[in-house]
C-alpha cells in the first residue's frame, strides 16, 4: 500500500506540475457550458423574437387589410425600412406581388393569386418567409371561415376528423437540446480531460526514460499501472465534475421559459449521473494508457490514442441517428450510460438493472485492460517499444 | 464542506415532507389529459361538505386541474382562475386558458377549479330537450315545463350551491395543494367570485386581477343598457370606417326596420341545415334576432360580422343568422342549472321594478334580456344570502381591474365600482375591446407584470394606445 501511495503521489505531482497543460486539458469542461449557453441563447432568440421583416410589396394599395394583417405580425413595407437595414433587406429582396384585381376578386369570391418571390434556399430567409406564409394563410383562413358562416354553413364541416394528440411522456419539460448536449459533453469530458496526462505518463515517460527507472524498482507492474490509471482518471473525473457544475451555473442565466422550456435536475439525479460516470472515467483512462503503451513513440501515441479514444466518445452522438437501438446498447459501456442519462433528463425512472449491468461490464473491461497492461509491462518489447 | 452537504440534504427532505403533508385522504391528484392539451397535466378532486355548517353531512367532490408552470424553480405563487357564467367550468376551458395565459404560465402553476355545480363538481345541468332544434325554437316560447323538468333532474340541496360556498371550496383547494398564498384571476362572473374571495379570505390572496367586473353593487341580469351602449358603439365605429360606412350607410335604420318586421310576426324561412345540408325550417323572431346579435357583441372577432348580418336580414337573407346559430350550438357548454340558481337567488331579488324599467329604456333590445330571468326565476327554489354579502368589498390586496370599452354586459362603469371601494387598485380600460379582454396580447403582458410587481400603479401600459380600431366585413365575401 505504501508503495502504491508513493507511486500515486509521484504521478499526481507530475500531472499537476504543468499547470498550463492541465488548464488546456480542462478546456473541454469549460467549453461545454459556454457552448450550451451560447447555443440556447441563440435558439431562444430565433424562436421568440419576431424582428421586423421588410418586404417589397407591389400592389399594396389594392389590399389594405392584408397589409394591416401583415403589419400586425411585424411584416412591413420595404419603403418603411430604416436606412441602417436598407442594404440588408434590399439584398434579401423578398417580393410580394398583389394583383390589381385583388379587390374585385375578393368581392366576387374568386381565388386571388398572390406571389411570393425570394431565395428559399437561403437559410437566413427561412424564418421571415415562414412568418409571411403563416400570416397570409391565417388572413385567408379567417376570411374563408366567415364566408361559409354567413352563407349559413357550419364551419365545423371543414374538419370532419379532429385529431387530439395526447403525449404520454412524463410531464417533465427539460429542454431536449440541453439534455442532449450535456449528455454528449459529459462523456466527452470523461474521455478527453485525462487524455494528455495518460499519454504523458505512458509514452512520454518511456521517451524520457523515466519508465525504465520505475520498472527497475522492486514494485509490481500492476501497482505502477494502477497508480497511472488512478491519476489519469482523477483528472478525467475532475473534468466531468467541472462540466456538470459549470453547466448548471450557466443555465441559470438563460431564460428558457421564453420558449416554453426549462432545465432542472434534482440532487439525486445529479448524484446518479456523477456516480455512473466514475467507472467511465477509469475505462477511458485505461484505454488511453493501453493504446499509448502500444504506440511506438510519444508522437504516435498522441495521434493514435486521440483517434482511438474519439470513437467511444462519439458513440452517443452517433446513437442519436439510430432510431431502433439494439438491445445490447443498454449494457455496453458508454452507450448504456448514455441511454440512462437520456432517461434521467426526460424525467423517467432509472432502470437499475441496466445501470448495474453496464457499470459491471465497464468495471470488468477496465480490470481486463489493467491486468493485460500490467502483464505487458513485464515484457521488454513494450518497455523498449520494439515490435 | 461537509456541513454544506448536510444543508442540501435537509432542504431536499423539507421539500418532500411538505408535499406529502398536503396529501390528506380527501385529496386525490393524478396525471391526466385534458382535451386540447397535448402534454399531461394534473387532475384532482377534493372532498368537501355540501353544507359547510354540517361538516359531517353530505360530501361532494370538487374537481380541479393544475397546469404546471414551465419553470417551477422560481417558486412563484400559482394563479387560480375563477370562471365566468355563473355556470362555466374552469377545467373544461383549460386548453383556451393555457394558450391565453402562456406568459403567466411560464413561471406560475394555473389552478382551474370547477365551481360547485359545474363540470365534474356535482354539475347542475339539464339534459337537452329532445326535438328542440335551435332553428325552429324561439325564445318567446320558452316552455316552463322544460324548466320544471330540468329542476326535477337536479340533485342535492340547491341552496348550498351559492357563491359563498364556492369560495370556501376554492380556498379549501388552495390549502389542500399546500399554497399559503395564491393570486387569482376572475373573468366576468369570476370577478364577483373574486371580490367575495377577497372579503372572505383576504389572507390567502397576494394579488387579484378582475377582468370585466360584475361588482356586488350591480346585480347581474339587467343587460339592456349595456348591450345598447355596446351596439351603438359598434354602429358608430362602422360609420367611422370608410368602407363600412359606404357599404351600410343606413345601418341603424335597417336594424330598426328588421325589428319592426319581426315585431309583427316571426318570420319562417326554409334554409339548408348548416350541418346536415337538408332543407330545414328556420324561425326568426324579434328576441332570437336580438339575442343572436347580442351574443356577437361579446367578442371583437364576431363583432366584425354584425353590420353584415343586419344588412342581410334587412334584405331578407337569414342565412348568416343560421350560420351563427350553428356556431353557437357547438360552442362551450354552460351549466344552466347553476346559472339560474345563483342569478335568481343572489341578484334578481335586488332588482327593483324601477331598475327593470330603466334598463328596458334603450334603443337596442329594450327588455329582451329580461325575459328568461323573469320567466324562470319565479319557479326556481329560493335561498337568500345575508345582507353583509351585498356590502362593497374593501380588502387591501393589490388589485388590477380590466374593462373592455365595448363590452355588452360588464361596461367600464362596472369596473369603476370596484376601483372605488378597493384601496389598492387600478382600473385599466382597453379601447375597442369587448368582454374579458384579459388574455389579449396587450392585457396579458400588463397582467403578468402586475402579478410579479404586485403594484397596480406601476405598470407599463404603453400598448393600450396601439389597440387597433374596429373593422367590419363589408360583403358576403369579406372586405378589402
Amino acid at each position: 500500500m505504501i508503495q502504491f501511495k508513493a507511486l500515486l503521489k509521484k504521478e499526481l505531482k507530475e500531472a499537476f506540475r504543468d499547470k498550463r497543460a492541465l488548464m488546456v486539458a480542462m478546456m473541454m469542461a469549460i467549453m461545454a457550458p459556454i457552448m450550451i449557453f451560447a447555443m440556447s441563447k441563440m435558439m431562444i432568440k430565433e424562436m421568440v423574437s419576431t424582428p421586423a421583416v421588410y418586404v417589397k410589396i407591389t400592389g399594396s394599395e389594392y389590399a389594405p387589410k392584408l397589409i394591416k394583417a401583415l403589419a400586425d405580425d411585424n411584416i412591413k413595407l420595404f419603403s418603411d425600412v430604416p436606412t441602417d437595414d436598407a442594404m440588408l433587406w434590399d439584398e434579401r429582396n423578398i417580393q410580394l406581388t398583389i394583383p390589381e384585381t385583388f379587390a374585385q376578386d375578393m368581392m366576387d369570391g374568386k381565388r386571388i393569386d398572390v406571389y411570393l418571390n425570394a431565395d428559399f434556399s437561403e437559410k437566413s430567409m427561412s424564418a421571415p418567409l415562414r412568418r409571411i406564409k403563416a400570416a397570409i394563410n391565417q388572413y385567408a383562413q379567417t376570411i374563408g371561415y366567415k364566408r361559409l358562416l354567413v352563407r349559413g354553413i357550419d364551419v365545423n364541416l371543414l374538419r370532419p376528423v379532429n385529431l387530439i394528440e395526447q403525449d404520454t411522456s412524463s410531464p417533465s419539460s427539460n429542454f431536449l437540446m440541453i439534455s442532449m448536449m450535456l449528455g454528449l459533453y459529459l462523456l466527452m469530458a470523461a474521455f478527453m480531460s485525462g487524455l494528455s496526462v495518460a499519454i504523458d505518463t505512458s509514452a512520454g515517460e518511456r521517451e524520457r526514460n523515466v519508465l525504465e527507472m520505475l520498472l527497475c524498482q522492486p514494485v509490481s507492474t500492476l501497482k505502477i499501472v494502477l497508480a497511472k490509471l488512478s491519476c489519469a482518471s482523477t483528472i478525467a473525473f475532475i473534468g466531468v465534475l467541472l462540466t456538470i457544475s459549470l453547466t448548471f451555473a450557466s443555465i441559470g442565466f438563460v431564460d428558457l421559459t421564453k420558449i416554453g422550456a426549462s432545465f432542472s435536475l434534482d440532487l439525486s439525479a445529479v448524484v446518479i449521473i456523477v456516480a455512473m460516470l466514475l467507472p467511465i472515467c477509469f475505462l477511458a483512462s485505461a484505454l488511453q494508457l493501453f493504446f499509448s503503451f502500444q504506440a511506438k513513440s510519444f508522437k504516435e501515441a498522441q495521434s493514435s490514442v486521440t483517434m482511438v479514444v474519439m470513437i467511444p466518445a462519439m458513440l452517443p452522438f452517433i446513437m442519436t441517428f439510430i432510431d431502433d437501438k439494439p438491445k445490447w446498447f443498454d449494457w455496453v459501456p458508454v452507450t448504456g450510460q448514455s441511454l440512462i442519462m437520456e432517461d434521467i433528463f426526460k424525467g423517467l425512472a432509472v432502470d437499475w438493472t441496466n445501470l448495474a449491468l453496464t457499470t459491471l461490464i465497464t468495471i470488468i473491461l477496465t480490470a481486463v485492460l489493467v491486468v493485460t497492461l500490467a502483464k505487458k509491462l513485464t515484457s521488454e518489447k513494450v518497455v523498449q517499444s520494439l515490435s | 464542506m461537509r456541513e454544506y452537504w448536510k444543508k442540501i440534504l435537509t432542504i431536499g427532505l423539507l421539500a418532500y415532507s411538505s408535499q406529502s403533508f398536503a396529501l390528506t385522504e380527501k385529496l386525490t391528484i393524478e396525471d391526466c389529459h385534458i382535451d386540447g392539451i397535448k402534454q399531461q397535466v394534473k387532475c384532482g378532486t377534493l372532498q368537501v361538505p355540501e353544507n359547510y355548517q354540517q361538516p359531517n353531512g353530505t360530501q361532494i367532490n370538487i374537481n380541479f386541474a393544475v397546469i404546471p408552470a414551465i419553470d417551477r424553480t422560481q417558486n412563484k405563487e400559482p394563479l387560480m382562475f375563477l370562471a365566468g357564467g355563473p355556470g362555466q367550468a374552469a377545467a373544461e376551458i383549460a386548453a383556451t386558458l393555457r394558450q391565453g395565459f402562456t406568459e403567466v404560465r411560464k413561471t406560475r402553476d394555473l389552478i382551474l377549479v370547477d365551481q360547485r355545480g359545474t363540470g365534474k363538481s356535482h354539475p347542475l345541468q339539464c339534459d337537452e330537450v329532445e326535438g328542440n332544434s335551435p332553428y325552429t325554437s324561439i325564445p318567446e316560447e320558452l316552455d316552463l315545463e322544460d324548466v320544471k323538468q330540468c329542476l326535477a333532474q337536479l340533485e342535492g340541496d340547491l341552496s348550498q350551491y351559492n357563491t359563498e360556498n364556492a369560495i370556501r371550496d376554492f380556498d379549501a383547494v388552495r390549502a389542500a395543494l399546500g399554497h399559503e398564498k395564491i393570486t387569482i384571476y376572475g373573468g366576468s362572473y369570476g370577478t364577483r367570485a373574486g371580490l367575495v374571495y377577497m372579503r372572505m379570505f383576504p389572507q390567502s390572496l397576494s394579488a387579484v386581477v378582475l377582468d370585466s367586473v360584475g361588482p356586488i353593487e350591480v346585480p347581474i341580469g339587467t343587460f339592456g343598457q349595456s348591450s345598447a351602449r355596446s351596439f351603438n358603439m359598434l354602429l358608430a365605429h362602422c360609420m367611422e370606417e370608410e368602407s363600412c360606412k359606404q357599404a351600410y350607410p343606413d345601418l341603424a335604420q335597417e336594424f330598426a326596420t328588421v325589428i319592426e318586421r319581426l315585431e309583427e310576426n316571426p318570420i319562417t324561412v326554409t334554409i339548408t341545415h348548416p350541418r346536415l345540408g337538408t332543407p330545414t325550417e328556420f324561425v326568426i323572431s324579434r328576441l332570437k334576432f336580438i339575442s343572436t346579435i347580442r351574443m356577437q357583441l361579446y367578442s371583437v372577432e364576431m363583432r366584425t360580422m354584425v353590420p353584415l348580418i343586419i344588412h342581410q336580414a334587412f334584405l331578407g337573407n337569414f342565412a348568416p343568422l343560421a350560420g351563427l346559430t350553428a356556431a353557437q350550438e357547438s360552442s362551450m357548454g354552460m351549466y344552466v342549472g347553476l346559472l339560474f340558481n345563483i342569478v335568481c337567488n343572489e341578484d334578481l331579488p335586488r332588482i327593483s321594478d324601477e331598475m327593470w324599467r330603466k334598463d328596458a329604456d334603450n334603443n337596442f333590445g329594450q327588455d329582451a334580456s329580461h325575459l328568461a330571468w323573469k320567466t324562470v326565476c319565479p319557479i326556481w327554489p329560493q335561498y337568500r344570502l345575508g345582507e353583509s354579502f351585498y356590502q362593497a368589498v374593501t380588502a387591501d390586496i393589490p388589485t388590477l381591474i380590466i374593462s373592455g370599452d365595448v363590452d355588452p354586459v360588464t361596461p367600464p362603469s362596472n369596473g369603476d365600482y370596484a376601483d372605488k371601494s378597493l384601496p389598492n387598485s387600478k382600473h385599466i380600460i382597453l379601447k375597442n375591446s369587448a368582454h374579458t379582454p384579459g388574455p389579449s396580447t396587450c392585457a396579458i403582458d400588463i397582467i403578468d407584470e402586475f402579478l410579479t410587481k404586485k403594484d397596480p400603479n406601476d405598470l407599463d401600459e404603453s400598448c393600450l394606445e396601439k389597440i387597433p380600431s374596429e373593422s367590419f366585413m363589408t360583403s358576403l365575401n369579406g372586405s378589402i
Side-chain angles (χ1 to χ4, degrees):
Chain A
M1 205 59 208
I2 295 170
Q3 284 179 336
F4 175 72
K5 256 188 179 169
L7 282 167
L8 185 60
K9 207 172 165 187
K10 172 240 159 211
E11 296 291 347
L12 285 173
K13 217 175 207 171
E14 222 158 300
F16 282 95
R17 190 184 298 135
D18 192 348
K19 295 262 163 22
R20 280 172 63 173
L22 199 66
M23 283 283 280
V24 174
M26 289 297 153
M27 273 304 279
M28 188 66 216
I30 294 162
M31 276 297 285
I34 293 174
M35 284 289 285
I36 292 177
F37 179 80
M39 279 188 71
S40 325
K41 275 262 177 195
M42 225 163 66
M43 258 182 92
I44 288 172
K45 202 177 158 216
E46 207 161 278
M47 286 169 83
V48 176
S49 62
T50 46
V53 169
Y54 296 93
V55 185
K56 295 178 182 169
I57 303 181
T58 325
S60 58
E61 66 274 22
Y62 307 128
K65 282 197 180 172
L66 172 61
I67 301 302
K68 195 166 152 264
L70 289 172
D72 285 346
D73 278 331
N74 216 3
I75 299 164
K76 297 176 178 170
L77 293 178
F78 183 68
S79 51
D80 298 335
V81 71
T83 40
D84 293 354
D85 297 339
M87 276 275 280
L88 174 74
W89 288 103
D90 190 38
E91 206 172 290
R92 287 191 172 173
N93 199 20
I94 305 176
Q95 294 177 22
L96 194 70
T97 314
I98 297 168
E100 209 176 312
T101 54
F102 189 93
Q104 195 54 48
D105 287 349
M106 179 66 87
M107 287 305 137
D108 293 347
K110 287 184 184 163
R111 196 185 69 196
I112 305 165
D113 294 329
V114 170
Y115 294 88
L116 178 62
N117 285 64
D119 179 357
F120 282 72
S121 67
E122 172 68 40
K123 202 186 156 287
S124 64
M125 303 271 270
S126 67
L129 289 174
R130 194 184 57 233
R131 278 172 51 203
I132 295 170
K133 276 197 274 187
I136 292 180
N137 284 339
Q138 176 71 35
Y139 166 82
Q141 202 179 41
T142 311
I143 293 177
Y145 274 151
K146 284 184 182 172
R147 281 177 173 179
L148 290 190
L149 194 142
V150 297
R151 281 165 177 74
I153 293 168
D154 188 344
V155 290
N156 282 316
L157 288 179
L158 287 173
R159 277 204 313 191
V161 176
N162 183 31
L163 188 67
I164 296 174
E165 293 173 271
Q166 300 195 327
D167 188 348
T168 53
S169 71
S170 88
S172 147
S173 50
N174 271 347
F175 189 35
L176 194 70
M177 194 203 78
I178 292 186
S179 310
M180 254 185 57
M181 285 181 64
L182 182 59
L184 283 180
Y185 273 118
L186 282 175
L187 284 165
M188 293 267 268
F191 274 95
M192 304 295 283
S193 311
L195 182 71
S196 58
V197 174
I199 297 174
D200 184 72
T201 194
S202 48
E205 285 195 355
R206 184 168 56 195
E207 235 149 75
R208 296 199 300 271
N209 295 328
V210 180
L211 185 68
E212 228 183 317
M213 232 157 68
L214 212 58
L215 288 171
C216 292
Q217 309 301 317
V219 286
S220 72
T221 50
L222 187 65
K223 274 183 189 155
I224 294 172
V225 173
L226 276 177
K228 291 189 186 303
L229 179 74
S230 305
C231 172
S233 40
T234 304
I235 308 284
F237 193 59
I238 292 173
V240 169
L241 286 178
L242 260 178
T243 307
I244 202 159
S245 48
L246 286 178
T247 305
F248 270 91
S250 62
I251 287 297
F253 295 101
V254 185
D255 188 6
L256 287 168
T257 60
K258 275 191 184 159
I259 50 165
S262 70
F263 190 83
S264 67
L265 285 180
D266 52 12
L267 192 64
S268 61
V270 175
V271 170
I272 292 175
I273 290 176
V274 170
M276 189 171 68
L277 288 174
L278 187 58
I280 284 287
C281 291
F282 276 92
L283 177 67
S285 302
L287 275 171
Q288 287 153 3
L289 286 174
F290 185 84
F291 282 102
S292 55
F293 272 124
Q294 286 294 95
K296 295 277 175 296
S297 66
F298 185 70
K299 245 183 195 164
E300 192 202 325
Q302 270 182 325
S303 46
S304 69
V305 172
T306 312
M307 286 305 290
V308 171
V309 157
M310 279 302 273
I311 295 168
M314 291 305 280
L315 267 181
F317 182 69
I318 296 163
M319 263 174 33
T320 57
F321 295 105
I322 304 173
D323 289 332
D324 292 315
K325 296 183 181 74
K327 196 74 196 117
W328 52 266
F329 269 32
D330 281 341
W331 46 266
V332 166
V334 183
T335 58
Q337 277 88 351
S338 172
L339 285 171
I340 288 166
M341 267 199 282
E342 211 179 294
D343 283 352
I344 292 176
F345 290 140
K346 280 184 192 162
L348 299 176
V350 177
D351 188 336
W352 294 105
T353 36
N354 277 352
L355 177 60
L357 199 61
T358 187
T359 305
L360 189 70
I361 291 176
T362 309
I363 292 171
I364 290 172
L365 207 61
T366 313
V368 170
L369 280 169
V370 168
V371 173
T372 321
L373 202 54
K375 211 169 221 169
K376 281 195 162 205
L377 279 189
T378 53
S379 138
E380 187 72 3
K381 270 185 189 171
V382 174
V383 181
Q384 298 293 338
S385 71
L386 307 164
S387 51
Chain B
M1 193 65 196
R2 202 168 276 165
E3 266 178 11
Y4 176 67
W5 280 104
K6 269 187 199 161
K7 266 183 202 159
I8 290 179
L9 285 175
T10 33
I11 290 167
L13 280 176
L14 276 178
Y16 278 107
S17 60
S18 69
Q19 260 177 356
S20 54
F21 164 74
L23 294 166
T24 60
E25 72 268 38
K26 289 180 174 178
L27 179 77
T28 58
I29 297 184
E30 58 184 11
D31 290 341
C32 68
H33 278 112
I34 291 186
D35 274 7
I37 302 179
K38 189 176 171 187
Q39 287 77 23
Q40 293 191 60
V41 299
K42 303 268 177 208
C43 292
T45 56
L46 178 70
Q47 204 185 62
V48 297
E50 185 181 54
N51 181 348
Y52 277 90
Q53 307 298 320
Q54 298 163 10
N56 298 319
T58 314
Q59 304 287 312
I60 57 171
N61 280 325
I62 298 299
N63 176 63
F64 62 88
V66 179
I67 303 176
I70 294 165
D71 182 0
R72 305 191 66 175
T73 56
Q74 299 189 26
N75 290 321
K76 289 191 187 170
E77 300 123 344
L79 178 74
M80 185 185 278
F81 176 84
L82 310 185
Q88 207 174 34
E92 283 178 8
I93 50 171
T96 322
L97 295 174
R98 180 177 178 273
Q99 200 170 17
F101 285 81
T102 306
E103 207 49 53
V104 176
R105 190 169 58 85
K106 283 173 180 171
T107 51
R108 292 171 199 279
D109 286 357
L110 283 189
I111 305 176
L112 312 171
V113 188
D114 283 348
Q115 182 174 352
R116 54 167 63 197
T118 72
K120 290 180 196 154
S121 303
H122 193 99
L124 300 177
Q125 182 65 306
C126 309
D127 295 334
E128 282 293 316
V129 183
E130 283 286 324
N132 210 351
S133 145
Y135 301 103
T136 49
S137 63
I138 54 173
E140 282 89 342
E141 289 170 2
L142 182 71
D143 195 349
L144 270 188
E145 276 314 304
D146 291 350
V147 181
K148 283 178 185 158
Q149 236 181 52
C150 164
L151 267 172
Q153 288 171 22
L154 303 180
E155 287 170 11
D157 176 0
L158 287 186
S159 71
Q160 297 304 321
Y161 293 82
N162 57 46
T163 303
E164 287 188 335
N165 275 348
I167 301 306
R168 292 188 180 103
D169 298 339
F170 293 159
D171 202 56
V173 170
R174 171 201 61 80
L177 288 174
H179 301 297
E180 195 188 330
K181 274 179 188 280
I182 55 169
T183 60
I184 55 170
Y185 168 96
S188 192
Y189 162 79
T191 61
R192 166 76 61 86
L195 286 162
V196 177
Y197 201 156
M198 290 167 81
R199 177 164 60 209
M200 290 173 72
F201 303 102
Q203 70 283 358
S204 304
L205 305 174
S206 68
V208 177
V209 179
L210 303 175
D211 182 5
S212 304
V213 190
I216 294 173
E217 301 93 316
V218 181
I220 299 172
T222 51
F223 300 141
Q225 288 297 349
S226 52
S227 321
R229 177 178 170 276
S230 170
F231 180 70
N232 288 327
M233 288 177 89
L234 183 140
L235 293 181
H237 288 159
C238 174
M239 290 306 128
E240 282 165 22
E241 191 185 36
E242 193 50 43
S243 59
C244 191
K245 187 182 175 184
Q246 226 163 34
Y248 318 112
D250 302 316
L251 195 58
Q253 187 51 47
E254 286 178 4
F255 176 73
T257 311
V258 174
I259 297 298
E260 218 169 278
R261 284 184 209 153
L262 291 172
E263 254 166 2
E264 286 168 24
N265 255 324
I267 295 170
T268 305
V269 291
T270 304
I271 53 157
T272 310
H273 192 289
R275 192 160 33 82
L276 302 173
T278 49
T280 306
E281 269 200 353
F282 185 34
V283 187
I284 307 104
S285 68
R286 171 180 164 266
L287 283 187
K288 190 184 224 168
F289 186 71
I290 286 173
S291 70
T292 312
I293 299 271
R294 198 172 74 83
M295 289 310 291
Q296 313 315 318
L297 298 178
Y298 276 69
S299 97
V300 174
E301 193 52 44
M302 298 311 275
R303 284 170 72 94
T304 61
M305 286 187 283
V306 170
L308 176 88
I309 298 160
I310 294 170
H311 182 63
Q312 289 297 320
F314 174 74
L315 299 176
N317 171 18
F318 291 100
L321 212 60
L324 287 174
T325 311
Q328 269 169 32
E329 203 185 6
S330 57
S331 69
M332 54 173 187
M334 207 36 128
Y335 290 80
V336 180
L338 185 76
L339 170 72
F340 283 116
N341 195 50
I342 287 187
V343 177
C344 289
N345 285 307
E346 299 180 14
D347 291 281
L348 265 272
R350 312 284 298 181
I351 306 175
S352 64
D353 289 344
E354 172 69 11
M355 285 159 83
W356 283 120
R357 212 171 36 71
K358 268 192 178 164
D359 190 55
D361 183 20
N362 64 70
N363 69 345
F364 173 61
Q366 283 92 43
D367 59 353
S369 61
H370 302 170
L371 182 83
W373 309 123
K374 286 191 161 172
T375 321
V376 174
C377 288
I379 61 163
W380 204 270
Q382 284 193 6
Y383 68 81
R384 290 292 176 263
L385 295 174
E387 195 52 39
S388 60
F389 178 82
Y390 297 98
Q391 301 306 311
V393 177
T394 55
D396 187 8
I397 303 166
T399 306
L400 179 66
I401 301 165
I402 296 170
S403 295
D405 196 21
V406 300
D407 190 329
V409 276
T410 53
S413 58
N414 273 16
D416 291 336
Y417 277 98
D419 193 28
K420 217 184 299 169
S421 72
L422 294 169
N424 188 4
S425 67
K426 172 83 190 275
H427 186 193
I428 289 178
I429 299 168
L430 281 85
K431 64 176 181 182
N432 303 319
S433 304
H435 195 48
T436 56
S440 68
T441 336
C442 175
I444 199 69
D445 286 340
I446 301 180
I447 290 174
D448 189 45
E449 190 187 354
F450 166 70
L451 290 177
T452 308
K453 283 187 180 169
K454 300 197 168 55
D455 178 0
N457 293 307
D458 178 27
L459 302 173
D460 175 13
E461 298 167 20
S462 56
C463 67
L464 290 175
E465 287 304 310
K466 295 177 198 142
I467 301 173
S469 46
E470 287 201 273
S471 169
F472 301 95
M473 201 171 170
T474 52
S475 86
L476 285 169
N477 279 330
S479 54
I480 319 118

